[in-house]
Amino acid sequence: MKKYIKIILSAACLFAATGCDKGFRELNVNPNNTTSLDPVFLFSNAEVLTYAALMETEPTVVQQFIDPFGGVTSAFNFNVLNQTYTVMRWNNAYPNTIKLLEHILPDLKGNASRSNLYNETRIWRAYNYMMLVDTYGDVPYSQAGQAYLNSAFLPKYDKQQDIYADLVNELTAATAALDPAKDLVKGDVFFGGDIPQWKRLGYSLLLRIGMRYSKLDPGKAKTIVQAAVTGGVMQSNADNCYLKYNNTYPNLVTQQIQQLTNTYYLAEPFITQLKSTGDPRLKYISAMYADPGKALSLAPDTASANQFGLPIGYDSGTLPTAPGFRGVSGSGFKYSQVNYSVFGKITAPQFFVTYAQTQLLLAEAAFRGYIAGTASTYYNNGVKAAMDQFTSYDATAVISSDAQNAYLNNPAIAYSDANALKLINTQYWITSFGNGAETWANFRRSGYPVLAPNTYPGRQIKGNFVRRYTYPQTEAAINADNYRAAVASMGADDLDTPVFWDK
């Protein structure tokens, strides 16, 4: 009897198990959970997560901005290595923007109904990789962002020359493939999916990448630049590629410098350039405050005569020994700071690629004989566009045509072939303030403006300026074989090794 009871119980259990399993999986799936995600959300997130620089990094290298106080925040003022800042672009790009962009491409490749999203992704991917190469040299590229997709947990580093060559191909193909008759990418935060504007962005980026070759390979530079101009670059400030912010979603760069205003100042070479030439942008960029620590609650003094940049090569302790030391003011020093009512607002936009920059690059291209056109016309257009751009910071930041023309007629500013490269690239330095990645890159490429090296004692660089950032220490520890191969290929992993186009 017991034997039959066991058989019956076993059968009952088996029946119960199989019976209860019916619909069990469906029952335990949350119907509100997302099982798939439209790639446009990844794309818009990648746009928002892209950043050009913090103020304490590249803008300090090119002597526009200074934190004279000790600690991790002032490494570049002292020409010393601090991984807190050298790894920021790497740590922002690979786990965020690069990962997102790389995940979109295989999903959309060959999908004719989403071809514009696919190609806009390729263009923005090229922008991000260009910044990585310009910052570090050899970087993961062909295997980057592939950990989830292809289990490439330890990606190899591609040669920077090879990456640039592929970026030229990617920009050329992706921009040409954009089609206004196809999908509209409404989630695009730059242009709302406007295809003509994306085409002009793509070709303007191609122009920028072409000009990086100007010293390394003028022939290649000319070929790439001509292709970009033929395709059609930005035509006005309406084509500017930038992020807009508001009080709910603030600009994290300006928000960061607002937290300790008494520690941040504009550098003497930058202020001297603006002040000595009567630059009408000065009052929107720079201000003096009675107490730097209370700058956000005080009215800015924007009078040109009262602006003085903090000297290069000093820290907060040695600054009183600087010639012409201006003294202490409240919790800070009597030197110019960012104008927190305009340029330094938390709603200030972050520009990536602009019409003004594009016109200045065209001016240099025309001067070098790469393209037809008059260098002086491109130059004047670029300067005027850069001034008009300030209304994006604040609607009241208007610079009149008379003020613009008076500035351009200043003998120190007026275009001349004899000083073309100096004039054009000094304006590029001013125009790109706030986009430290591009300011630093063009400074290395062009050699302008001519700046005196910061010889602060204890500097860790052998040359005059920082030429690249070092790789994260985690790469040497975790991705050791690929890290060592990159160093063997490129040169020492230090602040002195130049990237391939930096001649």
Side-chain angles (χ1 to χ4, degrees):
M1 185 68 181
K2 291 182 179 179
K3 178 180 178 181
Y4 291 114
I5 292 174
K6 287 182 180 179
I7 293 173
I8 293 170
L9 289 174
S10 297
C13 290
L14 180 62
F15 176 79
T18 55
C20 290
D21 184 61
K22 185 177 181 180
F24 181 80
R25 293 183 181 180
E26 291 78 3
L27 183 64
N28 283 276
V29 172
N30 185 344
N32 297 315
N33 273 356
T34 300
T35 57
S36 63
L37 185 65
D38 191 322
V40 72
F41 295 112
L42 303 181
F43 179 67
S44 58
N45 202 26
E47 291 178 305
V48 170
L49 289 174
T50 302
Y51 82 99
L54 292 178
M55 296 300 291
E56 295 176 89
T57 51
E58 297 97 338
T60 297
V61 176
V62 298
Q63 299 183 5
Q64 293 175 322
F65 191 83
I66 289 181
D67 169 9
F69 292 86
V72 299
T73 58
S74 48
F76 294 104
N77 184 39
F78 302 151
N79 281 320
V80 298
L81 171 63
N82 188 300
Q83 284 273 330
T84 299
Y85 285 94
T86 56
V87 303
M88 292 189 76
R89 178 157 294 112
W90 185 289
N91 288 346
N92 180 72
Y94 283 112
N96 297 304
T97 53
I98 295 299
K99 179 182 177 182
L100 293 170
L101 295 168
E102 293 289 359
H103 279 223
I104 295 171
L105 296 179
D107 282 349
L108 296 183
K109 188 173 183 179
N111 185 343
S113 67
R114 309 298 295 276
S115 64
N116 283 332
L117 176 56
Y118 176 70
N119 287 301
E120 288 170 19
T121 299
R122 294 168 75 189
I123 291 170
W124 201 239
R125 173 180 176 271
Y127 178 86
N128 277 272
Y129 276 116
M130 185 178 178
M131 282 203 300
L132 285 167
V133 170
D134 292 346
T135 303
Y136 300 102
D138 292 5
V139 294
Y141 178 66
S142 59
Q143 296 180 352
Q146 303 295 310
Y148 174 77
L149 298 173
N150 296 309
S151 299
F153 299 108
L154 301 175
K156 72 173 184 177
Y157 289 52
D158 294 84
K159 292 183 182 297
Q160 52 196 302
Q161 299 93 323
D162 297 340
I163 298 173
Y164 250 59
D166 196 57
L167 294 182
V168 170
N169 293 335
E170 280 288 285
L171 284 171
T172 301
T175 307
L178 291 170
D179 187 346
K182 294 185 177 179
D183 56 305
L184 175 66
V185 184
K186 294 182 179 180
D188 161 36
V189 300
F190 295 147
F191 305 119
D194 187 281
I195 296 304
Q197 287 187 305
W198 266 98
K199 277 186 171 286
R200 292 192 282 270
L201 170 61
Y203 286 122
S204 296
L205 270 176
L206 188 63
L207 167 67
R208 179 181 287 186
I209 220 170
M211 290 302 292
R212 292 283 202 269
Y213 288 97
S214 61
K215 289 183 178 178
L216 176 71
D217 188 338
K220 179 178 287 189
K222 182 176 181 179
T223 299
I224 297 171
V225 168
Q226 287 179 344
V229 172
T230 300
V233 296
M234 291 179 169
Q235 299 299 303
S236 71
N237 276 346
D239 292 330
N240 287 343
C241 177
Y242 67 103
L243 282 174
K244 308 171 186 67
Y245 298 97
N246 55 39
N247 288 317
T248 304
Y249 300 99
N251 182 328
L252 297 180
V253 176
T254 52
Q255 185 182 54
Q256 188 256 342
I257 63 172
Q258 285 190 11
Q259 293 173 355
L260 290 170
T261 56
N262 64 309
T263 68
Y264 300 124
Y265 299 85
L266 295 173
E268 186 175 55
F270 190 49
I271 293 299
T272 299
Q273 169 67 33
L274 299 174
K275 182 177 176 180
S276 66
T277 59
D279 195 316
R281 290 168 287 193
L282 177 62
K283 64 182 178 181
Y284 299 130
I285 294 173
S286 175
M288 291 284 285
Y289 294 94
D291 184 344
K294 300 177 181 178
L296 299 181
S297 62
L298 298 175
D301 176 0
T302 60
S304 178
N306 296 336
Q307 305 307 310
F308 296 91
L310 197 141
I312 297 293
Y314 298 91
D315 61 22
S316 56
T318 62
L319 187 59
T321 67
F325 174 62
R326 300 196 55 78
V328 174
S329 180
S331 59
F333 297 109
K334 293 181 180 179
Y335 290 98
S336 295
Q337 299 177 271
V338 167
N339 183 339
Y340 290 102
S341 298
V342 184
F343 184 87
K345 293 166 63 173
I346 62 170
T347 58
Q350 181 180 187
F351 289 93
F352 299 112
V353 185
T354 68
Y355 170 64
Q357 292 171 326
T358 300
Q359 288 291 296
L360 291 170
L361 290 177
L362 291 174
E364 182 175 342
F367 172 76
R368 290 181 179 275
Y370 296 169
I371 59 172
T374 306
S376 60
T377 300
Y378 289 126
Y379 173 78
N380 291 340
N381 288 344
V383 174
K384 290 180 178 181
M387 292 185 177
D388 289 338
Q389 194 174 303
F390 273 84
T391 56
S392 297
Y393 291 91
D394 191 281
T396 65
V398 177
I399 299 175
S400 69
S401 295
D402 288 344
Q404 293 178 11
N405 290 329
Y407 177 73
L408 286 166
N409 289 328
N410 181 337
I413 298 300
Y415 179 85
S416 71
D417 284 339
N419 295 309
L421 295 179
K422 176 183 177 182
L423 289 166
I424 293 167
N425 288 293
T426 298
Q427 287 299 321
Y428 202 93
W429 177 64
I430 299 169
T431 297
S432 301
F433 181 53
N435 182 339
E438 185 59 19
T439 311
W440 182 43
N442 198 69
F443 168 71
R444 286 174 289 160
R445 178 193 70 84
S446 70
Y448 293 105
V450 176
L451 301 172
N454 179 355
T455 57
Y456 184 86
R459 63 208 306 262
Q460 294 177 344
I461 61 173
K462 302 179 184 69
N464 291 330
F465 294 93
V466 174
R467 310 311 294 190
R468 67 176 285 274
Y469 287 1
T470 58
Y471 297 124
Q473 292 175 337
T474 51
E475 283 294 295
I478 298 172
N479 195 9
D481 289 343
N482 290 316
Y483 165 83
R484 285 193 292 267
V487 173
S489 167
M490 183 184 60
D493 183 20
D494 59 27
L495 301 174
D496 287 290
T497 298
V499 297
F500 81 104
W501 50 253
D502 182 10
K503 301 296 181 183

